[in-house]
Amino acid sequence: MNFALILFVALVVTGGIWLLDVLLLKRGRDRDAREPLLVEYAKSFFPVILVVFALRSFLVEPFKIPSGSMIPTLQVGDFILVNKFTYGIRLPVINRKVVELNNPERGDVMVFRYPGDPSLDYIKRVIGIPGDVVEYRDRKLTINGKPVPTVNTGTYGYVGNGLNYITATVYKERLNGTDHTMMTEPDKPSVYPTQVVDFPYRENCSYNAEGEGFVCKVPQGQYFMMGDNRDASNDSRYWGFVPDRNIVGKAFFIWMNFDELGRIGTTIR
C-alpha cells in the first residue's frame, strides 16, 4: 500500500471539492443555505491531510521494523522516525530529488525502496558509498583494503524465524568514526552464493563458490547496504546496490515499542 499516494489523492479530492464550492457551487446557494455535507467534510479534512502530507513527505516519516535483520540495533516491533530531508528534498509519490543536500555516509541507518520491488521499504546500514570496494570474508568486513575495526563485546541470544534459539557473537564496529553494534553467527557462511540473484552492476561483484566471502565495487550513484544481524540479513550481497533514487531517508529515533517500553526515546546509530 502506497500511503503517500493515498494521502495525495485524498488531498486532491478534498481540495478540489473545496475549490469547486468556492468558485461555482457557493454562488448558486442562498446566503443562509447550509453547505452540502460533502463540502463540510472536505473543508474539515483538507487542512489536516495537508499538514500530515507535508510532514511525512518533507520532514519525518514513521516506520515499523518488521524483521530481525537489524538486531541488535533495531528490534522487531520498534516504531522509528526517519528524517526525510537530510539526503535531499524529494517530491512525494514520485520520489524525485529536487534539492541536493547531504549524501549518505558509511554507518548511516537508511530506509530505502527495495530495488527488486520499489513498493517495499527496507532498512539497512550503509556499508559502501560510490567508489568503495567492499569485501566481506570469513565474517570480517574490509572497505577499500582496510579492515573495519571491531571489538568483541559478548553474545546475544534471540529466537529466529524458525523459532529456534540463536546465539550470536556481538561486536562494536566503527564506521566513519562512529561506533555501532552488529553481530555474526560463527557457524554460518559469509554469504550463500545460491541465493544471489541477477542485479544491475552484477559484474562489479565476485563471490566465492564455497560462501567464504565476496567483494563488490560500488558504482557511482549507488550504495551497498548490510544488516547489523550480518548472517541473517537479506541485503546488498544478495540483491545488489541501492540507487540514489530509491532513498527514503535516515533513521534516527525509536518512538515506540509496545513490547519493550524501555526502548522508547532511543537514538539510532
Side-chain angles (χ1 to χ4, degrees):
M1 182 184 296
N2 191 331
F3 190 59
L5 179 59
I6 293 173
L7 277 179
F8 179 73
V9 171
L11 188 68
V12 171
V13 170
T14 55
I17 293 173
W18 191 357
L19 185 62
L20 181 65
D21 181 67
V22 171
L23 297 180
L24 295 176
L25 304 181
K26 191 175 182 178
R27 298 178 182 178
R29 292 197 303 268
D30 293 336
R31 179 172 298 181
D32 297 331
R34 182 177 177 179
E35 290 179 337
L37 193 60
L38 184 62
V39 174
E40 285 188 20
Y41 280 135
K43 291 176 66 174
S44 298
F45 284 113
F46 176 78
V48 177
I49 297 173
L50 178 61
V51 170
V52 173
F53 182 76
L55 285 175
R56 76 184 307 275
S57 297
F58 302 108
L59 295 179
V60 294
E61 184 174 355
F63 287 89
K64 182 183 179 182
I65 303 301
S67 73
S69 70
M70 284 296 290
I71 293 174
T73 304
L74 296 172
Q75 302 288 335
V76 176
D78 281 345
F79 289 84
I80 66 170
L81 293 178
V82 172
N83 184 321
K84 296 296 293 286
F85 61 85
T86 189
Y87 298 139
I89 297 175
R90 300 169 188 265
L91 294 178
V93 181
I94 62 174
N95 204 42
R96 183 183 297 277
K97 187 188 292 186
V98 292
V99 178
E100 294 280 351
L101 291 175
N102 306 303
N103 292 316
E105 298 181 349
R106 298 184 204 98
D108 289 357
V109 177
M110 189 169 79
V111 173
F112 55 92
R113 305 189 195 286
Y114 173 49
D117 182 358
S119 67
L120 300 176
D121 292 317
Y122 272 30
I123 182 167
K124 307 289 181 186
R125 190 176 297 276
V126 179
I127 299 297
I129 61 177
D132 280 349
V133 176
V134 176
E135 183 174 1
Y136 189 60
R137 195 170 302 278
D138 296 327
R139 290 174 299 280
K140 293 181 175 61
L141 183 63
T142 301
I143 300 177
N144 299 327
K146 297 180 180 180
V148 174
T150 58
V151 177
N152 188 321
T153 60
T155 60
Y156 183 92
Y158 71 103
V159 178
N161 292 334
L163 299 181
N164 55 317
Y165 190 79
I166 297 172
T167 300
T169 304
V170 181
Y171 296 89
K172 180 172 67 175
E173 184 176 69
R174 171 159 291 218
L175 279 174
N176 200 36
T178 302
D179 293 335
H180 63 267
T181 55
M182 65 87 176
M183 64 189 194
T184 65
E185 298 175 39
D187 59 338
K188 287 190 176 181
S190 296
V191 63
Y192 292 94
T194 57
Q195 297 181 15
V196 177
V197 303
D198 191 25
F199 54 82
Y201 304 103
R202 171 66 176 77
E203 65 276 9
N204 283 34
C205 299
S206 61
Y207 294 82
N208 179 279
E210 287 72 38
E212 295 173 355
F214 68 89
V215 58
C216 288
K217 183 171 183 179
V218 186
Q220 291 301 311
Q222 309 278 327
Y223 296 89
F224 193 91
M225 313 296 296
M226 294 180 74
D228 287 348
N229 190 355
R230 289 283 158 81
D231 299 320
S233 173
N234 180 25
D235 50 38
S236 285
R237 72 189 104 171
Y238 297 108
W239 40 254
F241 309 100
V242 174
D244 181 82
R245 66 178 177 273
N246 284 44
I247 292 175
V248 174
K250 181 179 179 180
F252 69 96
F253 189 74
I254 299 172
W255 64 272
M256 178 55 71
N257 186 310
F258 292 105
D259 296 323
E260 297 184 51
L261 297 180
R263 294 182 60 76
I264 299 174
T266 302
T267 300
I268 300 171
R269 61 179 183 179

